[in-house]
Amino acid sequence: MTTTRTWESLTVPAAGTYNLDVAHTRIGFVVKHMMVSKVRGHFDTFTGSVTIAENPLESTAELTIKTDSISTGMPDRDGHLRSDDFLATEKFPEITFKSTRVVGHAGDEFTVAGDLTVRDVTKEIELTVEYGGVGTNPWGAQVWGFSIHAEFDREDFGLTWNQALETGGVLVGKKVKIEIEGEANPAA
C-alpha cells in the first residue's frame, strides 16, 4: 500500500518506521591518500531504520554497520583497516549512528544531528540529508530515497594511525567523508 502526504510542498511518506533496503543502499567513505589522491570504500553489511514522525522534523534514524564488512577493493588494505591500527574489528564489531534531532531544513535538504560511535568513542556529528522523493516499485511497495553526506575527523574516534611521508605530509588524511545513497521501505 502506498501512503504519502504533502508536507511543506514535499510529497513525503506517511508517519511510520521504514527500514533501509540493503539491496539499494550504499554506505561509502572517502579518505585522502598521500595527500594527493582519494581512496574510496564502503561497508557491505549494515541495518538501519528511519521513523518518520507526524511532524517530519521530529523524525529519528539509527544505523548499525558491521566493521569487518569494510571493502576498498584491495584485500591487503582492507585487512589493515580491520586491524588494531584502524577499526579493530574483533574488539569493536560495530559502528553505530543514532539521530538526536533535526537541526534544520531548506526544501528537500535536512541537517540531522546524531551520535556516531566508532571504537567505543561517541561524538556528535551532523549529516546533510537530501530527500529524494517517494515512489512505488513494480510490486506495489512504497519506497523513498535519500542521499547523505557528512565529514568528520577520524582522530576524534581514536583512529590515529598514520605514517609520515619523506616529502612532507602524511599517508592517510584525517578527514573522512561519508557518502550514503539509499532507499527505505515500510517496516513489516
Side-chain angles (χ1 to χ4, degrees), residues 25-68:
T25 300
R26 183 176 190 278
I27 299 176
F29 61 88
V30 181
V31 178
K32 280 276 215 173
H33 180 251
M34 293 187 56
M35 304 190 63
V36 298
S37 66
K38 297 175 183 175
V39 170
R40 294 182 182 277
H42 64 277
F43 292 92
D44 290 321
T45 307
F46 55 88
T47 58
S49 65
V50 178
T51 300
I52 305 286
E54 282 298 327
N55 173 357
L57 297 178
E58 296 172 359
S59 300
T60 59
E62 56 185 49
L63 174 66
T64 301
I65 300 168
K66 297 295 184 184
T67 55
D68 66 357

Side-chain angles (χ1 to χ4, degrees), residues 121-132:
V121 175
T122 302
K123 301 280 184 185
E124 183 176 83
I125 67 166
E126 287 189 355
L127 310 176
T128 300
V129 180
E130 180 184 344
Y131 172 65

Side-chain angles (χ1 to χ4, degrees), residues 99-116:
S99 68
T100 54
R101 67 194 179 286
V102 177
V103 176
H105 84 95
D108 64 356
E109 191 170 283
F110 297 79
T111 302
V112 177
D115 293 328
L116 177 66

Side-chain angles (χ1 to χ4, degrees), residues 162-181:
N162 224 329
Q163 187 171 356
L165 300 173
E166 287 183 23
T167 56
V170 291
L171 186 64
V172 182
K174 289 173 48 170
K175 298 292 182 188
V176 176
K177 293 182 181 180
I178 303 297
E179 300 173 335
I180 302 174
E181 297 290 333

Side-chain angles (χ1 to χ4, degrees), residues 51-92:
T51 300
I52 305 286
E54 282 298 327
N55 173 357
L57 297 178
E58 296 172 359
S59 300
T60 59
E62 56 185 49
L63 174 66
T64 301
I65 300 168
K66 297 295 184 184
T67 55
D68 66 357
S69 74
I70 195 167
S71 176
T72 64
M74 297 296 297
D76 288 346
R77 178 173 46 223
D78 294 347
H80 190 203
L81 292 172
R82 289 182 187 108
S83 77
D84 288 348
D85 285 345
F86 288 98
L87 294 175
T89 61
E90 289 185 20
K91 293 178 203 164
F92 308 107

